[in-house]
Amino acid sequence: SWRMPLEAIKYHQPKLKKIIVITSPESSNQLIAFKELVRKFFGKEIAGAITEKQVSSFENIEKVFDILNETYEELAKEGYRNKDAIIDITGGQKTNSIAGALMTSFYNDREFQYISTNTFEIKSYDVRLITDD
């Protein structure tokens, strides 16, 4: 179901500049259909904001973490601040959700969001990792 990413796009549409979809080799072939669906609901401009990054395996939490970090670094080079981006952890495998949540805990001003599957409410979190050191 693509309802959750569509709900996220709808929620963020007024400020939305980019949508970066991280795919696996298996899910990459669905991106064209997703872009077409976004175009029908939100128009060409929003659909044109979609780009793809591919990770070799969603089962490899380190690879997912690395691609998320790489994406933040690329966005920083383009002038975006950490708080200008958000990671949606709603869909996909648990490893993706863990990597997204961890990514936000290691760096300032990085947030992740989750869309409730019951109420479709969008909840965002800014998690901090605090150590005794």
Side-chain angles (χ1 to χ4, degrees):
S1 168
W2 289 334
R3 178 170 182 175
M4 298 311 183
L6 294 176
E7 292 285 349
I9 291 169
K10 179 180 167 187
Y11 181 81
H12 293 288
Q13 186 176 3
K15 297 180 186 177
L16 200 57
K17 303 276 188 232
K18 293 180 176 242
I19 302 168
I20 301 167
V21 179
I22 299 174
T23 63
S24 67
E26 297 79 24
S27 65
S28 181
N29 61 4
Q30 298 176 26
L31 190 63
I32 292 170
F34 177 66
K35 283 184 177 182
E36 180 59 23
L37 187 62
V38 170
R39 187 191 64 73
K40 286 180 180 178
F41 276 93
F42 303 104
K44 288 181 183 180
E45 185 177 336
I46 297 294
I50 298 172
T51 59
E52 177 184 25
K53 288 183 150 267
Q54 196 172 99
V55 66
S56 58
S57 171
F58 284 137
E59 296 290 324
N60 187 327
I61 195 168
E62 186 176 346
K63 295 281 186 195
V64 175
F65 187 90
D66 288 346
I67 201 163
L68 290 171
N69 199 42
E70 173 187 298
T71 301
Y72 269 102
E73 289 172 0
E74 290 170 4
L75 290 170
K77 288 178 184 173
E78 294 176 28
Y80 292 96
R81 299 168 297 169
N82 281 342
K83 65 181 181 178
D84 293 331
I86 195 160
I87 299 170
D88 189 297
I89 66 164
T90 306
Q93 297 179 348
K94 302 277 189 274
T95 52
N96 297 336
S97 298
I98 293 165
L102 280 173
M103 171 60 58
T104 63
S105 69
F106 294 141
Y107 300 91
N108 288 335
D109 297 327
R110 289 187 182 179
E111 293 184 15
F112 70 90
Q113 73 180 18
Y114 173 79
I115 302 170
S116 169
T117 55
N118 296 322
T119 64
F120 303 106
E121 178 183 6
I122 296 178
K123 301 174 182 193
S124 65
Y125 303 90
D126 185 358
V127 178
R128 301 275 187 225
L129 178 65
I130 300 172
T131 64
D132 291 336
D133 296 340

